[in-house]
Amino acid sequence: MESSLKLGKIRGIEIGIHYSWLLVLALVTASLALGFFPQTFPALSPLASWLLGLVAALLLFVSVLIHELSHSLVAQSMGIRVRSIVLFIFGGVSSIEGEPRTARDEILVAIAGPLASIVLGVTFGALLLGLSGVSPELSALLTYLALTNLLLAAFNLIPGFPLDGGRVFRGLAWLATGSYARATNIATILGQAVAYIFIFGGLFMAFTGAFLSGIWIAFIGWFLNSAADAARRQSRLTTAFRGVRVRDLLKEEPPVTVPASLSLRDMVDEFVLQRNVRAVPVVDGQGDVVGIISIADIKKVPRERWDTATVAEAMTPADQMLALSPDDNAGEALQAMGQRDVAQVPVIDHGHLVGLLSRASILQFLHVREELGSRA
Ligand SMILES: [Zn+2]
């Protein structure tokens, strides 16, 4: 997730807050200060209610963070790289790189979060019992934290992928069928069924009195539905490209390159127009790749400067460009290209340019394979 405030790192995992979470912080604080606290403990002053609301909202934030951190640390212990945890409007997302290798790993990573929430809920509950009578404010706070953590665990255990419960379900289906692809299929279908229950249930609530909660639940349903859809597509790609490397998709002939010192005018005349290329790796005098230049890069320079401006001035330099190794997985390459919104990527092997991979050629491979598959 891009637009987020970075808080720091825990064991190499970057912790961030998406801006939408600040809205949630304000909403949670307000609803606690105006609803839960004064209703549960009428003796509280308004100021105490607002302060408690804010403290409770921040501790809820810490609770969600601990939930996500539990997923991430278990994943890390299995050798899966975790890049970041971002808290956003619907809770938290851990960006865990790569899929779990076995059904057992999948189940353990998925269950770690809800287990942490249950432990937190029970701990706050025990504190509530142990410290009852100290002050009504403390009791109100502990009641809230015990309830929300248990609710968080219960919500996440709903067996709709990509919720944690859905991931546990996928792990179990994986154990049962022995196939990751089939397990994902079953889990995402169930996930979408759960999402539709949220959407229609939420809309029903919205039209029968509970407008705001209804809309909120429908909104969560919509989010779950698109997440399940994305997971299904992701799994289809993973399956289609299993064992397919970037080198398998490269054409034999060496790729066209342009020297960094070439003028943009010559680049347009000799390469873009005559050879009909859309992106070309740029090389220096030694033949090393120093960047890539695309039509979009050229268009950023005003036309009247094309005679004097060089390719080096307009290109995307090597340290900012996406580059692939021949051994990279083709599906992951396609995904990386989608994320960076580039259509052509240089393939570099031990510092040497060995080819240029285009999104079109990956998609064509997928197309041919599907066609062959459907006839086999
Ligand atoms: Zn979770």
Side-chain angles (χ1 to χ4, degrees):
M1 232 169 263
E2 287 301 304
S3 46
S4 59
L5 301 167
K6 307 223 172 348
L7 296 187
K9 279 189 174 183
I10 299 178
R11 294 185 67 175
I13 304 167
E14 212 168 275
I15 311 291
I17 303 176
H18 188 255
Y19 295 114
S20 64
W21 194 84
L22 296 174
L23 180 70
V24 175
L25 180 70
L27 284 177
V28 170
T29 305
S31 77
L32 287 173
L34 300 171
F36 177 78
F37 286 131
Q39 273 160 25
T40 324
F41 299 92
L44 283 182
S45 71
L47 178 65
S49 283
W50 277 98
L51 279 177
L52 269 182
L54 183 64
V55 171
L58 288 173
L59 286 173
L60 176 63
F61 160 89
V62 174
S63 300
V64 173
L65 186 60
I66 291 174
H67 174 112
E68 287 306 319
L69 211 51
S70 307
H71 288 303
S72 297
L73 293 180
V74 172
Q76 255 188 356
S77 76
M78 292 162 175
I80 303 169
R81 218 168 83 85
V82 182
R83 226 173 341 139
S84 62
I85 292 174
V86 176
L87 298 172
F88 76 124
I89 193 159
F90 294 118
V93 266
S94 303
S95 79
I96 294 177
E97 287 187 352
E99 300 279 337
R101 278 180 289 259
T102 65
R104 183 184 151 274
D105 285 6
E106 165 94 319
I107 294 169
L108 290 178
V109 171
I111 203 78
L115 279 183
S117 295
I118 291 172
V119 169
L120 282 171
V122 170
T123 307
F124 284 123
L127 284 173
L128 175 66
L129 293 179
L131 299 173
S132 70
V134 174
S135 83
E137 287 84 355
L138 186 64
S139 298
L141 187 64
L142 291 172
T143 305
Y144 174 74
L145 289 169
L147 285 176
T148 44
N149 275 292
L150 292 176
L151 262 175
L152 198 65
F155 173 74
N156 276 292
L157 283 172
I158 294 172
F161 193 88
L163 291 174
D164 298 334
R167 290 182 188 276
V168 173
F169 177 82
R170 175 169 77 169
L172 294 172
W174 189 356
L175 277 180
T177 63
S179 155
Y180 171 78
R182 270 173 67 198
T184 303
N185 239 338
I186 300 169
T188 48
I189 289 169
L190 186 64
Q192 282 181 314
V194 168
Y196 280 115
I197 293 173
F198 271 79
I199 293 172
F200 290 113
L203 289 178
F204 180 76
M205 280 173 69
F207 290 115
T208 53
F211 186 73
L212 275 182
S213 340
I215 291 293
W216 183 241
I217 289 171
F219 198 38
I220 291 177
W222 166 81
F223 169 73
L224 288 177
N225 185 46
S226 42
D229 209 37
R232 198 206 323 264
R233 253 177 291 144
Q234 165 72 44
S235 140
R236 215 176 273 165
L237 267 189
T238 311
T239 312
F241 285 110
R242 184 160 289 152
V244 182
R245 305 204 170 276
V246 164
R247 71 165 82 249
D248 304 328
L249 304 182
L250 289 180
K251 298 193 179 71
E252 291 298 329
E253 69 263 29
V256 175
T257 57
V258 291
S261 54
L262 195 72
S263 76
L264 289 183
R265 171 75 59 208
D266 290 342
M267 159 90 203
V268 170
D269 290 345
E270 290 168 30
F271 291 89
V272 179
L273 297 175
Q274 277 186 27
R275 302 207 206 178
N276 192 26
V277 292
R278 302 192 61 83
V280 192
V282 181
V283 291
D284 62 10
Q286 283 80 49
D288 292 331
V289 178
V290 292
I292 186 164
I293 186 157
S294 67
I295 294 181
D297 294 327
I298 299 173
K299 275 164 67 181
K300 280 183 205 149
V301 179
R303 200 173 279 264
E304 56 273 16
R305 287 196 49 231
W306 284 5
D307 284 318
T308 49
T310 62
V311 163
E313 292 168 51
M315 71 182 184
T316 303
D319 56 347
Q320 287 166 34
M321 79 179 180
L322 181 65
L324 296 168
S325 141
D327 290 320
D328 285 341
N329 178 275
E332 280 163 24
L334 184 63
Q335 238 188 320
M337 291 162 94
Q339 275 165 10
R340 299 276 293 264
D341 196 27
V342 291
Q344 274 105 350
V345 179
V347 182
I348 295 171
D349 191 12
H350 297 100
H352 297 289
L353 180 70
V354 292
L356 186 71
L357 185 68
S358 69
R359 195 142 51 153
S361 62
I362 307 182
L363 292 174
Q364 198 194 346
F365 167 85
L366 196 62
H367 186 73
V368 169
R369 184 170 255 206
E370 269 180 2
E371 209 162 284
L372 287 173
S374 65
R375 281 174 197 171

